[in-house]
Amino acid sequence: MKIVLIGYMGSGKSTVGNLLAKKMNLAFLDLDQAIEEQEKIPVPQIFEQHGEIYFRKKETEALKRLLAEKEDMVLAAGGGTPCYGHNMDNIEKSTAKSIYLKLSIQALVERIRHEKAERPLVSSLADEDFPEFIGKHLFERTPFYERADEVVFCDGKTPEEIVDEILSSL
Ligand code: S3P
């Protein structure tokens, strides 16, 4: 079985994905990491040196490649992955089960505030503009995220609790 975790930046896709993969005895893959390995530079540098459109093309290619692999896995998508090109169509057409890790705007603002520097889409925002940006951005992206097979609301839950919820939904 393939599981694809989707959700906004900071929603815990990598933490939950790692734990879920361990519990299911599956490989864990992170889409950003797959792109970094292929491009041999970190994601923020891909944005800086080649621009976002280049990154989105690489993201689409890496997603297609991983969805087509025979190996079962838990795959953590990037926050924007479902929202560009035909990526969400491709996830839906594949055999993978998609799970949206949903958090409130407030919870996301709290989490991402501390990691702004590593996130090219928000690194240049002033602190006071941050909540409004996240709110609008999440509003635009939610219709894509909500296409997931399962939605797990994650506010106030530990990664272990979220994994248990996912396991009981399979
Ligand atoms: C992005 C999220 C990031 C990474 C890139 C763009 C986005 O992944 O793919 O910086 O568009 O939301 P994470 O959600 O793993 O941080």
Side-chain angles (χ1 to χ4, degrees):
M1 147 173 263
K2 264 199 189 69
I3 295 178
V4 182
L5 298 179
I6 64 173
Y8 201 73
M9 285 177 270
S11 58
K13 300 178 293 287
S14 301
T15 309
V16 170
N18 247 307
L19 197 62
L20 179 65
K22 279 201 187 100
K23 285 219 175 168
M24 294 182 75
N25 222 359
L26 293 177
F28 171 71
L29 279 102
D30 182 286
L31 193 61
D32 280 342
Q33 219 171 306
I35 300 165
E36 288 179 342
E37 275 161 23
Q38 198 195 302
E39 296 296 300
K40 304 198 169 38
I41 47 171
V43 167
Q45 275 185 44
I46 302 177
F47 271 71
E48 230 175 80
Q49 292 178 15
H50 304 287
E52 183 172 354
I53 295 171
Y54 178 88
F55 172 78
R56 296 301 173 194
K57 281 189 187 152
K58 296 296 151 191
E59 183 178 45
T60 292
E61 284 166 17
L63 177 70
K64 269 195 192 152
R65 175 166 55 79
L66 293 175
L67 287 176
E69 265 184 22
K70 284 207 183 77
E71 192 196 357
D72 288 342
M73 65 176 79
V74 176
L75 174 66
T81 310
C83 319
Y84 288 87
H86 295 292
N87 293 347
M88 198 60 210
D89 297 333
N90 291 336
I91 292 172
E92 282 179 339
K93 272 192 267 167
S94 75
T95 54
K97 180 164 176 124
S98 54
I99 298 172
Y100 169 29
L101 303 184
K102 182 171 181 155
L103 279 106
S104 66
I105 297 169
Q106 293 80 351
L108 290 170
V109 167
E110 265 324 295
R111 286 193 190 189
I112 308 167
R113 206 191 279 283
H114 308 291
E115 307 163 0
K116 253 171 62 180
E118 308 111 65
R119 302 188 181 278
L121 292 179
V122 295
S123 53
S124 60
L125 286 177
D127 279 358
E128 62 269 26
D129 298 331
F130 200 53
E132 196 191 342
F133 175 86
I134 304 282
K136 279 190 186 159
H137 206 202
L138 188 63
F139 182 70
E140 286 165 7
R141 287 180 166 191
T142 298
F144 294 96
Y145 295 151
E146 298 274 0
R147 285 167 64 184
D149 296 316
E150 295 288 337
V151 179
V152 178
F153 192 66
C154 302
D155 273 25
K157 292 179 190 162
T158 64
E160 287 77 10
E161 286 168 334
I162 297 165
V163 165
D164 286 345
E165 247 180 75
I166 294 173
L167 289 172
S168 61
S169 77
L170 298 178

